[in-house]
């Protein structure tokens, strides 16, 4: 899909250059340092040449004599001869009018020494450095030329290549509607310019991971039939200071050349983080990059048709400057899909796969509350893979059901060996959950119980499915939920009178709910409707921070503990009251390993056999 690709020079190129450099040094530089090419002659010849007046100059060295002779054409030739004990030599040379010197052992000139000792290592050092820099720049997608080191890695997709339209995005109607205006502008900018309307320069797509933000941005480009530049915030933050800013500059330069176009910046929070949150010194590099981004956004003329879309799942961390008018002043929420949305996402992705007629997307959608679009797309694919593995030509309901579990709970660990004793404990534990759920009036119906372990670490699980989409939770439902979580451990206690580590996840989840009841939902008598905790980030797991003093925090803990203890007792009571059913259902589950909600209810509602 990448159109712009800078051809990288292979390593061999650099090796060849190095070899050439060495050869040049050998051919031209070293000979100057070494002794010139000379011929050896005997002392007699030397004397004869002096008498003949051929010798031009003589150098008397420690253990030999070097001299030059001018030949007919005036060229110099160098000879050496051995040194003899010849006291008359100087007179001879004087008489023959020859220049002569006595030299100390030949040394390289100070200039050459300076070059060799200082300049050459420096040149080699710089050359190696440059080579490494270029290699790194190449790795980061930049050009092989030092001058284009900061060239941005933004990929260009032209219309045909994003190939996405709003039809590819299931659900997300509000987001699509908000983005439709941008599409319209890119189609027909005149209409807006004539009336003097300010078209937004940028829109911020806000929502949890995998909800289709990238997909939506691509669809905007596809619908508008304009090029699509995309870059991730993390790619801006380079290892060399100044690189990020250079990339921003380059990205905008490219974009303006290709206008009208869409620029998509994923994970903008990595560069757009609030500048105050980084501590006093902060992160210079990131700050520079952010400043450059702000400058560029202010600098370009929106009428040209460059629209910047950015995505984040942490909008609250963004620097306020980014959200000011004329920058990302539009916020488009992209939420997790609801029941209908999930069904639509499944259907969109099922179009590319051969599906059996019996497939019930609604049932799958109901079982996947909380799944993102990406999860659902993944489920369809997993289902297709399973169908192939089973040697079938189309995907059926069981494939999809299986893939739901694969995606939500990890792959089945068929080959892991679990002792019979553990299996029995796990069975009681799971039936404990299911039985407690079934015996309470505010819990969701049991959909499936299994003791087949998952790679995610769950040894078994009980799946409950709400009948409709739920957005509110009553106090009774919250308590029943906690009691249901307690049911697993309670069964182990009731039957074996001992506890295992198998309830750790239940404990964690139950505590979370109980805590929220006290601190956020106003469901405890002690604190009534006082806000005790605030959610920092509604899009990422919802981590919270306390708003209260440490004494109050201790009281909160007491209150939470009270809720959990009450629910735990209630779960034990339910199981004590239904012990025969607990045994019967556990036996059945142990045999079958996986049972459906209907099977469960049939056994539960049947008259006791004895
Ligand atoms: P994000 O950018 O929000 O993290 P992506 O756009 O990368 O999510 O979504 C990942 C994949 O999930 C998409 O390529 C698409 O296959 C699927 N997907 C997510 N949401 C939807 C949706 N609403 N409709 C269709 N497919 C979706
Ligand atoms: Zn459990």
């Amino acid at each position: 899909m990448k159109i712009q690709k800078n051809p990288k020079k292979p390593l061999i190129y650099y090796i060849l250059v190095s070899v050439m450099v060495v050869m040049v040094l050998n051919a031209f530089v070293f000979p100057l340092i070494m002794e010139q090419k000379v011929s050896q002659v005997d002392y007699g010849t030397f004397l004869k040449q002096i008498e003949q007046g051929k010798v031009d100059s003589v150098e008397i060295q420690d253990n030999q004599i070097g001299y030059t002779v001018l030949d007919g054409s005036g060229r110099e030739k160098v000879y050496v001869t051995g040194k003899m004990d010849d006291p008359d030599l100087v007179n001879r040379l004087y008489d023959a009018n020859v220049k002569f010197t006595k030299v100390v052992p030949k040394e390289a000139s100070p200039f050459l020494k300076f070059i060799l000792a200082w300049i050459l290592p420096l040149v080699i050092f710089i050359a190696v450095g440059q080579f490494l820099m270029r290699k790194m720049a190449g790795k980061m997608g930049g050009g092989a030329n030092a001058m284009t080191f900061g060239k941005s890695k933004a990929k260009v997709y032209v219309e045909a290549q994003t190939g996405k339209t709003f039809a590819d995005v299931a659900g997300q109607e509000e987001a699509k509607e908000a983005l439709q205006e941008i599409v319209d502008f890119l189609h027909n900018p005149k209409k807006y310019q004539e009336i003097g309307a300010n078209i937004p320069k940028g829109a911020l797509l806000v929502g949890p991971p995998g909800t289709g933000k990238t997909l939506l941005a691509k669809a905007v480009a596809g619908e508008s039939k304009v090029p699509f530049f995309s870059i991730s915030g993390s790619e801006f933050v380079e290892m060399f200071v100044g690189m990020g800013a250079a990339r921003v500059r380059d990205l905008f330069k490219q974009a303006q050349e290709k206008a009208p176009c869409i620029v998509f910046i994923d994970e903008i929070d990595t560069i757009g983080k609030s500048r105050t949150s980084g501590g006093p010194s902060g992160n210079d590099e990131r700050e520079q990059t952010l400043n450059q981004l702000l400058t560029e956004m202010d600098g370009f003329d929106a009428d040209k048709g460059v629209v910047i879309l950015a995505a984040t799942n942490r909008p609250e961390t963004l620097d306020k400057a980014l959200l000011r008018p004329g920058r990302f002043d539009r916020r488009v929420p992209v939420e997790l899909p609801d029941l209908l949305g999930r069904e639509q996402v499944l259907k969109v992705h099922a179009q590319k796969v051969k599906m059996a007629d019996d497939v019930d997307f609604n049932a799958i959608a109901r079982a996947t509350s909380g799944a993102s679009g990406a999860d659902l797309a993944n489920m369809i694919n997993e289902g297709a893979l399973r169908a192939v593995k089973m040697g079938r030509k189309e995907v059926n309901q069981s494939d999809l059901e299986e893939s739901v579990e694969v995606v939500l709970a990890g792959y089945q660990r068929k080959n892991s060996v679990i002792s019979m004793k553990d299996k029995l404990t796990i069975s009681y534990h799971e039936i404990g959950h299911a039985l407690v759920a079934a015996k309470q009036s505010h819990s969701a119906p049991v959909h499936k119980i299994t003791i087949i372990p998952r790679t995610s670490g769950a040894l078994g699980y009980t799946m409950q499915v709400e009948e409709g989409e739920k957005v509110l939770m009553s106090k009774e439902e919250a308590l029943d939920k906690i009691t249901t979580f307690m049911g697993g451990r309670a069964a182990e206690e009731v039957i074996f009178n001992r506890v295992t580590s198998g309830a750790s996840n239940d404990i964690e989840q139950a505590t979370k709910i109980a805590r929220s009841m006290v601190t956020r939902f106003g469901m405890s008598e002690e604190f009534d409707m006082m806000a005790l905790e605030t959610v920092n980030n509604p899009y990422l797991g919802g981590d919270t921070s306390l708003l209260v003093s440490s004494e109050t925090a201790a009281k909160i803990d007491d209150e939470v503990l009270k809720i959990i203890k009450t629910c735990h007792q209630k779960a034990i009571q339910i199981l004590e009251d239904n012990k025969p059913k607990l045994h019967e259902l556990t036996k059945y589950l142990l045999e079958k390993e996986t049972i459906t909600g209907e099977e469960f209810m049939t056994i539960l509602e049947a008259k006791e056999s004895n």
Side-chain angles (χ1 to χ4, degrees):
M1 290 221 254
K2 245 193 251 178
I3 288 177
Q4 287 199 334
K5 194 163 186 289
N6 287 307
K8 274 181 214 150
K9 298 212 165 91
L11 189 61
I12 185 78
Y13 167 84
Y14 295 101
I15 293 174
L16 279 177
V17 168
S18 315
V19 167
M20 265 162 63
V21 167
V22 170
M23 277 164 57
V24 166
L25 284 176
N26 269 321
F28 297 104
V29 181
F30 291 146
L32 290 177
I33 307 159
M34 315 276 236
E35 299 202 348
Q36 282 160 323
K37 219 168 163 44
V38 292
S39 317
Q40 288 273 355
V41 291
D42 58 60
Y43 200 72
T45 312
F46 170 52
L47 292 181
K48 203 184 268 160
Q49 283 176 325
I50 292 176
E51 276 164 19
Q52 290 169 351
K54 283 182 180 169
V55 174
D56 182 49
S57 65
V58 174
E59 263 183 23
I60 301 166
Q61 296 164 8
D62 265 4
N63 46 14
Q64 64 177 14
I65 296 170
Y67 65 98
T68 57
V69 172
L70 291 173
D71 67 8
S73 55
R75 254 185 306 168
E76 230 177 33
K77 203 159 185 291
V78 182
Y79 294 89
V80 286
T81 182
K83 201 174 172 188
M84 301 282 277
D85 190 14
D86 180 1
D88 280 346
L89 179 62
V90 172
N91 289 335
R92 268 189 248 250
L93 290 172
Y94 194 77
D95 292 345
N97 202 13
V98 176
K99 295 170 258 171
F100 64 93
T101 51
K102 178 168 169 80
V103 291
V104 278
K106 191 164 182 170
E107 266 194 78
S109 78
F111 177 68
L112 266 176
K113 258 171 47 182
F114 176 73
I115 288 189
L116 282 179
W118 295 101
I119 305 294
L120 194 64
L122 207 70
V123 166
I124 290 173
F125 187 77
I126 291 172
V128 169
Q130 283 270 329
F131 166 67
L132 288 178
M133 292 253 287
R134 282 176 204 180
K135 269 203 73 126
M136 269 186 279
K139 280 228 178 78
M140 293 182 297
N145 181 319
M147 301 315 288
T148 60
F149 190 26
K151 227 174 170 66
S152 96
K153 207 172 152 186
K155 303 160 205 142
V156 186
Y157 297 87
V158 287
E159 45 196 274
Q161 275 154 330
T162 86
K164 301 284 183 206
T165 65
F166 281 149
D168 293 302
V169 188
Q172 306 294 7
E173 299 304 332
E174 284 148 56
K176 280 193 242 175
E177 205 177 299
L179 294 170
Q180 182 60 48
E181 197 187 359
I182 292 173
V183 174
D184 197 45
F185 165 75
L186 291 172
H187 264 312
N188 195 354
K190 276 236 167 63
K191 195 170 78 185
Y192 289 82
Q193 285 156 5
E194 271 163 17
I195 207 165
N198 260 343
I199 198 71
K201 279 185 184 173
L204 192 62
L205 303 170
V206 177
T211 45
K213 297 184 290 296
T214 311
L215 189 61
L216 272 164
K218 283 186 186 169
V220 171
E223 291 273 341
S224 319
K225 300 196 175 14
V226 299
F228 180 71
F229 291 80
S230 88
I231 190 157
S232 171
S234 52
E235 288 170 33
F236 276 128
V237 186
E238 298 289 346
M239 65 188 98
F240 300 111
V241 174
M243 287 301 305
R247 287 206 160 175
V248 172
R249 218 175 302 129
D250 187 66
L251 173 67
F252 277 81
K253 203 168 136 247
Q254 279 192 50
Q256 264 165 334
E257 280 162 13
K258 291 261 160 56
C261 66
I262 299 281
V263 174
F264 178 63
I265 307 176
D266 205 358
E267 304 172 47
I268 193 162
D269 42 283
T270 44
I271 42 168
K273 230 179 278 165
S274 168
R275 277 168 291 188
T276 49
S277 71
S281 66
N283 179 337
D284 273 355
E285 168 63 353
R286 197 171 47 71
E287 211 162 289
Q288 272 188 27
T289 309
L290 174 57
N291 286 335
Q292 188 66 39
L293 180 63
L294 296 175
T295 312
E296 294 289 347
M297 282 196 81
D298 293 344
F300 80 80
D301 191 359
D303 288 347
K304 266 199 167 169
V306 180
V307 175
I308 305 154
L309 299 177
T312 180
N313 44 30
R314 330 176 48 121
E316 74 290 338
T317 64
L318 289 183
D319 198 289
K320 295 286 169 289
L322 266 178
L323 308 174
R324 274 212 287 274
R327 291 167 185 166
F328 294 104
D329 48 2
R330 296 238 165 157
R331 191 184 266 234
V332 180
V334 186
E335 301 289 354
L336 286 173
D338 58 7
L339 181 61
L340 184 67
R342 291 199 299 275
E343 197 174 330
Q344 286 168 339
V345 176
L346 287 169
K347 280 181 179 160
V348 162
H349 287 274
Q351 283 168 4
K352 295 168 227 152
V353 176
K354 282 212 185 75
M355 290 279 164
D357 295 333
D358 73 322
V359 167
D360 181 356
F361 290 113
N362 183 269
I364 303 297
R366 283 209 292 135
T368 49
S369 177
S372 69
D375 291 334
L376 295 164
N378 198 5
M379 281 171 201
I380 296 284
N381 192 48
E382 287 290 341
L385 292 178
R386 184 170 186 266
V388 172
K389 206 163 75 191
M390 299 291 175
R392 267 187 268 102
K393 288 258 180 282
E394 42 183 30
V395 180
N396 64 24
Q397 189 73 7
S398 75
D399 293 328
L400 286 184
E401 277 177 8
E402 177 63 26
S403 64
V404 167
E405 288 166 38
V406 166
V407 173
L408 294 186
Y411 289 91
Q412 272 194 20
R413 264 197 322 199
K414 284 246 170 59
N415 46 359
S416 76
V417 185
I418 291 189
S419 72
M420 200 52 211
K421 189 174 147 223
D422 281 351
K423 220 165 151 183
L424 189 68
T425 310
I426 295 164
S427 296
Y428 273 111
H429 178 109
E430 295 306 330
I431 293 294
H433 284 307
L435 202 51
V436 169
K439 288 290 174 189
Q440 295 179 112
S441 37
H442 300 283
S443 17
V446 173
H447 180 74
K448 179 172 181 172
I449 311 166
T450 176
I451 54 167
I452 295 171
R454 307 272 140 181
T455 42
S456 68
L459 295 169
Y461 69 90
T462 303
M463 192 178 186
Q464 289 169 273
V465 177
E466 301 278 0
E467 258 147 1
E469 194 68 5
K470 269 243 151 77
V471 281
L472 290 175
M473 179 162 67
S474 70
K475 184 174 177 183
E476 290 72 27
E477 284 164 343
L479 287 173
D480 281 7
K481 237 184 191 157
I482 298 172
T483 311
T484 303
F485 276 123
M486 299 288 119
R489 160 65 64 86
E492 294 181 49
E493 289 171 283
V494 167
I495 301 298
F496 303 107
N497 199 23
R498 63 171 165 78
V499 297
T500 67
S501 60
S504 60
N505 186 44
D506 300 334
I507 292 168
E508 206 174 296
Q509 303 237 40
T511 310
K512 234 185 228 163
I513 299 174
R515 207 177 165 77
S516 295
M517 284 176 71
V518 176
T519 60
R520 293 169 46 218
F521 304 157
M523 289 180 180
S524 74
E525 264 144 45
E526 174 85 21
F527 293 107
D528 204 334
M529 280 182 60
M530 179 177 172
L532 305 166
E533 231 175 33
T534 179
V535 178
N536 298 331
N537 179 355
Y539 294 108
L540 277 185
D543 49 330
T544 55
S545 44
L546 276 176
L547 298 171
V548 298
S549 66
S550 51
E551 294 90 66
T552 315
K555 272 197 220 153
I556 292 174
D557 292 339
D558 290 345
E559 201 66 8
V560 172
L561 185 60
K562 215 156 74 189
I563 294 178
I564 291 173
K565 272 193 167 158
T566 315
C567 290
H568 188 178
Q569 275 315 309
K570 191 174 168 205
I572 289 184
Q573 197 54 51
I574 292 173
L575 295 174
E576 290 283 7
D577 295 346
N578 294 279
K579 235 180 183 168
K581 284 293 177 196
L582 180 55
H583 287 305
E584 194 183 341
L585 282 160
T586 301
K587 206 173 140 229
Y588 187 75
L589 176 62
L590 204 52
E591 230 165 68
K592 293 254 188 159
E593 296 204 329
T594 302
I595 65 177
T596 65
E598 287 101 70
E599 287 173 284
F600 173 81
M601 288 314 287
T602 315
I603 297 174
L604 185 61
E605 278 156 12
K607 279 242 159 58
E608 265 162 53
S609 38
N610 48 349

